[in-house]
Structures are given as structure tokens and as C-alpha cells.
Amino acid sequence: EELKTSNCKTVSQFAKDSGKPTTYSCYVQERPAVKVEYYKSLPSQKMNDRASKRLARWEPYWEECRVFATGVTTPVQERTFIDSRKKISDTPNTAASFKLKHPVTSTNPYLEMRSSSDKTPVDGEYRVLIRMLPLKVSDYQKKKRADCHIWPIGTYLQLRSDPSQSGKKATPMVLQQRKQQTHDLNAWYGICKHLDLTSYMKSLSTTSPTELTIELCCHDKEPYMYSLAVCKYKSPAILSHQLLEPGNPWLKRLSWEASFAKAKEMMKNNEVSLHSDDENDGGGNSAPKRINFSLKDPISKLTIKTPVRGRQCRHFSCFDLDNYLHINEVVSGQRWKCAHCELFVSYQELEYCGLTKQTLVQLKDGITSDRHMVELREDKTIELIKPARSRSERAKSRLEREKAAKNGQKYNNRGDSRGQGAKAAPIEIVEID
């Protein structure tokens, strides 16, 4: 989409960034003070709406209440290093700047209602956040990470709290972002967390500046969108409660019948033939089609309470809704990755499984930490599967099988040996329809 680009160059000056890696931009090589020139670009309203939807989809714990500024990083046209003895030619590559008029009076109505500077927010609390997203996401990137906030590599961000400070020393901000690797300068590893300016905004109340200027320069050559907004915190518990409310548009609810229909589709690719020892059956039987799934949450390792899975996931096993929302509040490289497969699943892409929920209710007394796998058959019968044996149990079974063979007996793999005419005890099967 077309960006609105200014015809006039913007000039920003950034202080020296030292350290190994550098303190603020996490660059391996020290960067001297630099003056950069670039053209500002503003996104269209359609682009802004799309960015807001992306953040709402993958950052649901912070709901945008008021957006103060948005924009796009643009290529640096010219760099002028202040210390000519330490020139480096490959950074910064992109830059951006934006202003907030009367920052105290703009944010105070929200911060005075309910806001704190504590690291752990509470429900309904307001914070002033800066978040960024790449303008374009490749198919490769979609497979590697969820579309959450991420800083451009090598971001240096600074604040000027008054127009009269132009050209003077600004306040650089420490960002939690990716770090350049010494063994491979093209590799940048680490996690990114949004910048919380709440404490800084509150500190301005004593001086009440008329303008706040935010400037950033990046090593990254790709364009990124930025957003400065007041956001309201929503805890995983509240988000879970909202999803489970009747009529919620995001959580798709599958009834028992719809869940079983989905299971039957999966059974088509899971047919197994069992061979019988009975000489009168022609040498083999075709077993009923079936699938196995777990009733244990892979995140907490406890029994699932609210079974959900991704709509596009190709497995029937579910995970617990509350645990999934809770673990994905924490910023990590595996954020929003399905607990069973490689897909990234937003809270807007979950489905509730009615069949798994009914199975949990009916088999609750027999579910243990070791016995949680279930076999579902096409005739609508279900059975808790015997847990896998340990190495010592398998070794004991092998010795007993060898002993039984020497005595001319059959070993039935249940821990005892029987004569040729003995019959196994029947398996108890539960009807779930």
C-alpha cells in the first residue's frame, strides 16, 4: 500500500552507543555518535487498522484504548558520524521520529484512573506502550514465530521531553530486544518486549513539557510500523472468561456430534489391521477404525479442564484453555505455538471440543498421571489405554515370556502366563453416545 512520504528530510542526532554488545542497540561493534537524514512516512488508515488487528490477535493482554502516534521506519539517506576516527558504514539503515503534543495532559486522564509503575499489572490497569511490527511478514517468518511485537534488529530509541532539547542530549531507553551474535554478525537472537513508558510519563508531571519527541534508528533494513498508545491490561483469567461466554465470536464450540465427525475424518488415515490367532477366522480381521488422544494437558501435565485445540491443527488431542492463555502471556520464542504441533495458534483460532469434555466427565475416576491416553473407535466406544511400561517392566516381561516358552505356555503380555486353552479377561469398554 502507498505510504504518505514527506518531501522534507528529517534530521536526528543519536549519541554514542558503546559496550560489547552495545548497551542500547545490542550491536557487536561500538557505534559513534551519528546524525542521520531521512524522509518520514505515514501509513494509510487501512494500514493502521490492519496493524491494530495484528496486535489484537497476538497481543490480547493489552487492549488499545487510544493511539497517539503511528508510522513506519524509512531508509536513512545520509549518515554523518561525529567522531570521524570511528566510522562504520553499515548502520543505522532505517530511522523514524514522532511527537506527542502535551504528553502529560494527553495521558493523565488514563493514568490517573488506574495505573501503577509495578512490573506486574492488574486487570483494568492502563499503561503507555510503544510496540512495533514488521510491515511485511514472509511465509518463512510465519513458520518461525507468531506475529507478536518485535523490535527491528539493532534499535536505538531515545526521548526528548521538550522542543528546546533539539540537538542536545536525549534520554536513551534500554530495550529488551534481539542481540547480534559475535560468531555470526548476521544472526540476532533473543526475545523482544514492548517498551512501557508509564513511569517516564508520570515523571514529566513536574515539568509538564509541551511536547515529547521519540526518535529511533535501526540496523534493520526492513520497514517496521510503530505504535504509541495507551493500553488496558487484560489478564489470562479475564480473557478465558470472555472466550467462554455464550456467543463469543472467537471460540468455536464443537458439539459432541461435530467433534465425533472430525474424529471420523481423522480415522480414515489411521486404519489398523489386527491378526487373530483363531484358525477359524480366515487368518485376520480388520479392526475398527480408531484414533488415540490424551486427556492430560501437555503444559501443566495435569488433567485438562477446558479442552481446546487449534482449528487448523491435524491432531485430536486438546490442551487446557486457561494454561494455554497463561503461558502465552510470557514473552518467549515459542509464544502461541500449539502444545502438540508446530502451528502457531492465536486465541482467536481455538475450538472447544465437546467430545473430549464429555470423555473427561465420564472417565474422570480412572484418569491418572500415567493413564490418560484414550482410544476412540468408529462404533463410538472409548477406552482408557494401559500406560506404557518402564524399562524394568519390559525387561521383567521378557524374562517371563522366555520362561513361559520353556514351559510350553503362552504369555499374554499382562504379566502372567496361561496354558494353551486359557482365555484373557474381557476389556471394559465405555459407550459414550
Side-chain angles (χ1 to χ4, degrees):
E1 295 180 45
E2 187 175 349
L3 293 168
K4 297 177 182 178
T5 304
S6 171
N7 294 324
C8 299
K9 282 186 179 179
T10 300
V11 179
S12 295
Q13 186 167 316
F14 299 93
K16 175 183 177 181
D17 193 11
S18 58
K20 292 186 177 182
T22 55
T23 303
Y24 300 104
S25 58
C26 300
Y27 198 71
V28 167
Q29 186 178 358
E30 182 179 281
R31 175 183 61 72
V34 61
K35 181 175 71 175
V36 298
E37 298 181 27
Y38 54 96
Y39 294 101
K40 283 187 178 182
S41 288
L42 295 177
S44 65
Q45 185 58 48
K46 188 175 181 180
M47 294 175 69
N48 285 333
D49 293 342
R50 187 174 298 163
S52 293
K53 288 180 179 178
R54 289 168 65 185
L55 289 171
R57 180 182 177 188
W58 297 103
E59 302 278 359
Y61 309 102
W62 292 102
E63 180 183 356
E64 287 183 343
C65 297
R66 182 180 175 185
V67 179
F68 294 112
T70 60
V72 179
T73 57
T74 56
V76 169
Q77 302 297 318
E78 187 175 347
R79 311 182 190 95
T80 304
F81 292 100
I82 309 304
D83 188 346
S84 59
R85 296 170 300 173
K86 295 183 178 180
K87 287 186 178 180
I88 51 176
S89 59
D90 65 339
T91 195
N93 293 302
T94 54
S97 65
F98 51 101
K99 298 178 180 180
L100 175 60
K101 298 288 186 181
H102 306 289
V104 175
T105 56
S106 297
T107 59
N108 263 7
Y110 297 95
L111 303 187
E112 287 178 351
M113 281 192 289
R114 193 174 186 185
S115 176
S116 71
S117 302
D118 297 334
K119 290 185 178 180
T120 304
V122 296
D123 280 309
E125 185 175 327
Y126 294 94
R127 297 285 179 94
V128 182
L129 307 179
I130 296 180
R131 299 182 290 180
M132 298 189 73
L133 291 170
L135 199 59
K136 297 180 180 179
V137 183
S138 66
D139 291 337
Y140 173 78
Q141 290 171 323
K142 290 178 182 178
K143 293 179 181 178
K144 298 296 288 184
R145 59 179 295 275
D147 191 23
C148 304
H149 154 81
I150 186 171
W151 296 107
I153 57 175
T155 298
Y156 182 98
L157 187 147
Q158 64 187 21
L159 309 176
R160 299 182 191 275
S161 60
D162 197 279
S164 61
Q165 285 190 348
S166 180
K168 297 182 180 180
K169 186 177 180 181
T171 304
M173 307 300 289
V174 176
L175 307 177
Q176 186 172 344
Q177 61 176 316
R178 294 170 286 179
K179 293 179 173 61
Q180 190 179 31
Q181 305 299 300
T182 55
H183 68 278
D184 182 1
L185 298 183
N186 293 319
W188 294 72
Y189 299 144
I191 59 176
C192 295
K193 189 175 181 180
H194 59 244
L195 177 61
D196 189 342
L197 290 180
T198 307
S199 297
Y200 183 84
M201 289 297 185
K202 288 185 174 182
S203 70
L204 297 180
S205 59
T206 56
T207 57
S208 297
T210 59
E211 187 175 277
L212 174 66
T213 302
I214 301 171
E215 300 170 304
L216 61 140
C217 64
C218 316
H219 178 67
D220 209 317
K221 295 180 180 180
E222 295 299 318
Y224 277 67
M225 287 193 67
Y226 60 80
S227 169
L228 170 65
V230 170
C231 299
K232 186 178 182 180
Y233 177 69
K234 184 188 298 182
S235 69
I238 293 296
L239 183 57
S240 174
H241 177 75
Q242 291 177 348
L243 287 173
L244 293 173
E245 287 180 345
N248 184 281
W250 299 122
L251 184 62
K252 182 180 179 181
R253 292 176 177 269
L254 292 185
S255 63
W256 189 97
E257 293 78 10
S259 301
F260 184 72
K262 184 167 188 173
K264 285 194 71 173
E265 280 295 315
M266 295 181 177
M267 290 179 191
K268 290 181 180 179
N269 299 321
N270 198 30
E271 186 172 3
V272 180
S273 292
L274 298 180
H275 295 281
S276 171
D277 291 326
D278 191 344
E279 296 180 356
N280 297 323
D281 68 356
N285 280 335
S286 179
K289 294 178 183 178
R290 65 275 184 98
I291 59 170
N292 297 342
F293 63 95
S294 176
L295 300 178
K296 183 168 75 172
D297 176 44
I299 300 169
S300 66
K301 308 303 181 185
L302 301 174
T303 303
I304 295 172
K305 294 180 180 178
T306 307
V308 295
R309 60 177 167 262
R311 297 178 199 172
Q312 302 303 318
C313 290
R314 303 184 67 179
H315 51 80
F316 197 78
S317 290
C318 294
F319 44 82
D320 186 74
L321 175 63
D322 288 342
N323 290 327
Y324 188 68
L325 296 178
H326 182 78
I327 196 172
N328 283 305
E329 183 186 15
V330 180
V331 178
S332 72
Q334 300 297 305
R335 198 177 184 195
W336 296 112
K337 198 169 192 178
C338 174
H340 288 291
C341 67
E342 297 298 309
L343 295 182
F344 290 96
V345 182
S346 161
Y347 78 102
Q348 297 179 0
E349 300 163 335
L350 296 172
E351 65 180 20
Y352 174 91
C353 182
L355 189 152
T356 302
K357 182 61 178 179
Q358 185 171 334
T359 303
L360 285 163
V361 172
Q362 291 188 275
L363 300 180
K364 62 180 180 180
D365 294 334
I367 303 172
T368 65
S369 58
D370 295 326
R371 196 179 190 194
H372 56 86
M373 291 299 298
V374 169
E375 182 178 273
L376 172 66
R377 299 169 185 164
E378 62 178 338
D379 60 1
K380 299 183 180 180
T381 57
I382 198 165
E383 176 191 353
L384 268 173
I385 300 174
K386 185 178 179 181
R389 295 175 298 171
S390 65
R391 181 180 297 180
S392 60
E393 289 174 330
R394 292 196 300 271
K396 181 180 178 181
S397 175
R398 185 173 62 254
L399 292 174
E400 291 179 348
R401 185 166 54 248
E402 292 172 355
K403 181 179 178 181
K406 288 181 180 179
N407 296 331
Q409 296 176 315
K410 269 191 173 182
Y411 184 73
N412 69 357
N413 210 24
R414 289 188 176 87
D416 63 336
S417 56
R418 301 176 185 270
Q420 293 285 350
K423 293 184 179 181
I427 299 174
E428 183 179 356
I429 296 176
V430 179
E431 291 278 354
I432 59 172
D433 57 338

